[in-house]
Amino acid sequence: MTVEEDGHAAAPGGTAKEVRRLDRVVIRFAGDSGDGMQLTGDRFTSETASFGNDLSTLPNFPAEIRAPAGTLPGVSSFQLHFADHDILTPGDAPDVLVAMNPAALKANIADVPRGAEIIVNTDEFTKRAMAKVGYDASPLEDGSLEAYRVHPVPLTTPTVEALKGFDLSRKDAGRSKNMFALGLLSWMYHRPTESTESFLRKKFAKKPEIAEANVTAFRAGWNFGETTEDFAISYEVAPATSAFPAGRYRNISGNLALSYGLVAAAERAELPLYLGSYPITPASDILHELSKHKNFGVRTFQAEDEIAGIGAALGAAFGGALAVTTTSGPGVALKSETIGLAVSLELPLLIVDIQRGGPSTGLPTKTEQADLLQAMYGRNGEAPVPVVAPRTPADCFDAAVEAARIAVTYRTPVFLLSDGYLANGSEPWRVPEVDELPDLRTRFATGPNHTLADGTEVFWPYKRDPETLARPWAVPGTPGLEHRIGGIEKQNGTGNISYDPANHDFMVRIRQARIDGIEVPGLDVDDPAGDARVLVLGWGSTYGPITAAVRRLRAAGRSVAQAHLRHLNPFPKNLGEVLKRYDKVIVPEMNLGQLATLLRAKYLVDAHSYNQVNGMPFKAEQLADTIREILDAQ
């Protein structure tokens, strides 16, 4: 949190309150999973987006549907980083922590730097609540928080007082304390309020008294900040006017951007979009979102299990749809046989894997990027599949369009590897113009494509395009284009069942050649001076922390090159040449070194892995420290 300038504003009664200008701030809301922290953070994010700041968010919530109240495992938090300039991460540490109870304070205090502000809901600091999380004495009184600027605020009491005119029990009225906290923080940082009031009235339209109670609590929090002496300072963070190119923007999460990308790809391909899916965290939001878009010809099928979901999707691909199945790592394991069938049938199918911590059920609500090798090799036999990975929440839109391009052009299933950090995080997104999107239209087979020796014209379902090696896409019911499907090996050209060893060898190699021949952009390297000897290479959601770390090092006068992979199979054709230009290659990953393993095997490069598997994204400063140590060791 950097202070740029000070000013003063008049409060009611003529009292002047100091206003400080900041260039950036990180706020973390934390409380019980039933305290509405995700809603509070989401609303503050929407206010911030409408104000024009650049922003990045990190929701963090328990895996349990309803963890025990007041316990450390039950703490839910939402972190928001917003600024008047271009930013890339949700921030390493909060400048402001809003702790709704003792558990929230204890679970998050280790991340709070000295001198930061802590707003504590004192109403919840009862002996019983403190004992539940191991506090022998109140941290508000034992001096343990002396290093911080603590604001003890009884959030529940003034909320209940403000709602006395409503026909609500004390317990029900107290549930609006998150809106009181949101109002207070909105006052502290001069956030717009109209959108939140409108949202609350729309959300509770069928319960107007509840809607007005929440609006009243929100306004009470704002007024509390305006009138209390404990908050003598408010802050302003100007819009990030220089951070964004001209255009129309909205705040968007990764899963929402991915959903929009799928719809856009289907429109540009002039194909119906079909989703066959089974709910699984953190991918379920895509199913929820796409089910809203029947007006675009989207069909969503919530199957009875993962296998049925992908089976239906593959059937839709056979029927001429842009077919998608969404899941996470455990679901990919169940879908693997059908993915292999899609490889054999050579049909376009998007497998969207929103990665989470594993193995098995693992960490359903925490992030990881440990499914790369599963996507590359998690099938029996030689079954190559292209792999595409977005780098930011907004980039999920473009990655979905790119995955669709590859699928329909090369007639292949494609993996789209997002993760929980991207899926739930959000940032500003420029809404593209339609003519900026690629033309994905493809031609279905309409008649014979091969002439036999006797002059008979026939349809060969595995006769290939000489450029892409893709086979024709024949929609069932087209006269004369009947052909066999199934998992048993096909004869090249005719598609008849074949057990011939030479044919199998050929088909295995031609399927691999089709994937190897996919046209993908060359790898761009960010090396401003051109003299860097160390390259930091990442993929997926590590982009933000890596870029922020590299910026810090360059600001300190260090020379570091950076590159980021979107295409993981096939790799960009210039990747080998890029790797050879640098003395050392550092590969940060939220796994135990899966990309580094692939790079070592393919390019014989001594890639240095830097790994983290704690369910959270990298922090920029920890990456900067690691890169600095490697630079100093040269």
Side-chain angles (χ1 to χ4, degrees):
M1 182 167 62
T2 307
V3 178
E4 290 188 344
E5 58 186 65
D6 294 348
H8 291 83
T15 304
K17 286 203 172 189
E18 184 179 349
V19 180
R20 292 185 182 175
R21 184 74 170 270
L22 309 175
D23 65 353
R24 52 170 290 276
V25 68
V26 180
I27 298 174
R28 183 182 297 178
F29 298 93
D32 257 343
S33 55
D35 282 339
M37 294 297 92
Q38 303 305 318
L39 175 63
T40 305
D42 182 69
R43 289 317 311 159
F44 195 91
T45 299
S46 295
E47 294 173 1
T48 298
S50 67
F51 189 71
N53 296 119
D54 195 10
L55 61 90
S56 180
T57 68
L58 177 61
N60 185 18
F61 36 85
E64 293 85 357
I65 293 175
R66 186 65 177 94
T71 64
L72 294 176
V75 173
S76 175
S77 68
F78 189 105
Q79 184 162 303
L80 166 67
H81 182 192
F82 61 102
D84 65 1
H85 58 276
D86 176 36
I87 58 173
L88 297 156
T89 74
D92 287 356
D95 302 306
V96 181
L97 171 66
V98 180
M100 304 296 282
N101 61 17
L105 178 65
K106 189 161 191 176
N108 291 280
I109 191 64
D111 293 337
V112 183
R114 297 171 65 88
E117 292 190 86
I118 301 177
I119 299 172
V120 181
N121 179 17
T122 56
D123 282 333
E124 295 296 322
F125 276 70
T126 63
K127 286 185 178 180
R128 184 169 180 267
M130 289 187 290
K132 190 179 288 189
V133 295
Y135 280 129
D136 296 326
S138 173
L140 306 180
E141 300 171 356
D142 65 4
S144 61
L145 300 179
E146 287 183 352
Y148 311 98
R149 291 179 288 161
V150 179
H151 301 278
V153 180
L155 294 176
T156 308
T157 300
T159 302
V160 172
E161 181 67 22
L163 301 184
K164 282 199 308 185
F166 292 85
D167 185 21
L168 298 172
S169 67
R170 178 179 176 83
K171 181 179 180 180
D172 288 341
R175 288 174 177 164
S176 295
K177 62 182 180 292
N178 63 323
M179 288 297 104
F180 186 96
L182 177 59
L184 173 58
L185 270 293
S186 297
W187 171 84
M188 282 183 66
Y189 291 95
H190 296 256
R191 301 293 90 185
T193 61
E194 295 82 3
S195 63
T196 291
E197 293 189 10
S198 175
F199 168 83
L200 291 171
R201 291 190 173 102
K202 183 177 180 180
K203 179 178 177 64
F204 299 104
K206 295 182 179 179
K207 298 179 180 179
E209 185 175 39
I210 298 297
E212 291 309 312
N214 278 286
V215 169
T216 300
F218 176 67
R219 291 176 176 175
W222 176 282
N223 293 333
F224 180 83
E226 187 85 335
T227 57
T228 184
E229 294 182 3
D230 193 39
F231 292 91
I233 302 171
S234 64
Y235 304 93
E236 288 184 348
V237 181
T241 53
S242 62
F244 306 121
R248 183 182 181 188
Y249 286 81
R250 60 157 294 165
N251 183 53
I252 201 165
S253 69
N255 273 351
L256 183 57
L258 201 154
S259 301
Y260 287 176
L262 293 174
V263 174
E267 288 291 301
R268 295 296 285 170
E270 296 183 354
L271 296 173
L273 179 64
Y274 183 93
L275 174 67
S277 185
Y278 181 76
I280 185 172
T281 302
S284 299
D285 285 342
I286 302 172
L287 171 61
H288 302 158
E289 181 60 35
L290 289 180
S291 67
K292 302 175 184 177
H293 297 290
K294 295 180 178 65
N295 56 313
F296 285 111
V298 178
R299 291 187 180 183
T300 54
F301 170 53
Q302 180 174 321
E304 63 269 29
D305 55 42
E306 296 280 6
I307 298 172
I310 191 172
L314 184 56
F318 178 59
L322 179 61
V324 184
T325 190
T326 52
T327 190
S328 192
V332 173
L334 294 167
K335 296 176 188 289
S336 61
E337 184 178 5
T338 307
I339 297 171
L341 177 59
V343 171
S344 176
L345 297 181
E346 301 186 31
L347 286 171
L349 172 67
L350 301 185
I351 305 107
V352 177
D353 178 4
I354 312 298
Q355 300 166 94
R356 70 191 205 188
S360 188
T361 307
L363 305 173
T365 61
K366 309 301 179 182
T367 195
E368 206 164 272
Q369 48 177 187
D371 294 350
L372 175 56
L373 294 183
Q374 183 184 30
M376 289 284 291
Y377 302 118
R379 294 162 296 284
N380 63 296
E382 295 287 345
V385 174
V387 181
V388 176
R391 60 178 61 182
T392 69
D395 187 50
C396 289
F397 177 92
D398 295 318
V401 174
E402 172 65 359
R405 177 192 73 85
I406 294 172
V408 298
T409 303
Y410 295 90
R411 308 287 196 272
T412 177
V414 178
F415 261 100
L416 182 55
L417 289 183
S418 180
D419 61 42
Y421 169 41
L422 296 183
N424 297 315
S426 64
E427 66 177 351
W429 171 60
R430 187 182 71 84
V431 180
E433 299 295 331
V434 173
D435 58 9
E436 296 174 16
L437 302 176
D439 184 348
L440 302 181
R441 286 176 294 182
T442 185
R443 292 182 179 180
F444 293 115
T446 57
N449 62 355
H450 183 75
T451 304
L452 299 177
D454 63 3
T456 304
E457 291 188 339
V458 296
F459 174 67
W460 275 15
Y462 281 83
K463 185 169 185 176
R464 302 179 182 280
D465 182 295
E467 291 187 9
T468 64
L469 300 181
R471 78 175 186 88
W473 193 359
V475 176
T478 306
L481 303 192
E482 299 84 358
H483 59 281
R484 293 180 178 86
I485 62 169
I488 297 177
E489 183 64 281
K490 314 294 185 298
Q491 184 182 57
N492 182 49
T494 67
N496 296 331
I497 292 173
S498 174
Y499 293 99
D500 178 64
N503 178 78
H504 177 65
D505 182 273
F506 178 82
M507 292 296 280
V508 167
R509 295 180 187 277
I510 200 72
R511 285 191 290 258
Q512 184 65 58
R514 182 165 46 95
I515 304 306
D516 293 341
I518 292 172
E519 288 291 331
V520 303
L523 181 65
D524 290 328
V525 181
D526 179 16
D527 187 358
D531 60 355
R533 305 313 310 153
V534 171
L535 171 70
V536 185
L537 180 67
W539 70 277
S541 65
T542 58
Y543 173 77
I546 289 174
T547 306
V550 168
R551 285 182 180 180
R552 295 184 188 193
L553 291 167
R554 289 175 180 168
R558 312 304 294 267
S559 184
V560 185
Q562 179 193 357
H564 210 78
L565 288 167
R566 163 171 283 175
H567 297 89
L568 296 153
N569 191 34
F571 285 131
K573 289 182 172 56
N574 67 333
L575 177 56
E577 182 272 326
V578 167
L579 295 174
K580 291 176 183 176
R581 294 207 306 254
Y582 296 92
D583 296 337
K584 291 187 178 180
V585 178
I586 306 169
V587 186
E589 297 182 79
M590 292 188 294
N591 57 49
L592 295 184
Q594 296 187 16
L595 174 60
T597 296
L598 295 174
L599 296 176
R600 292 186 187 114
K602 186 173 180 65
Y603 299 105
L604 304 181
V605 61
D606 185 19
H608 294 254
S609 281
Y610 181 68
N611 310 118
Q612 174 175 296
V613 282
N614 62 3
M616 298 294 288
F618 283 112
K619 293 181 178 179
E621 190 57 35
Q622 86 185 81
L623 281 179
D625 289 343
T626 299
I627 300 168
R628 190 181 297 111
E629 290 174 5
I630 293 174
L631 289 170
D632 292 341
Q634 291 226 114

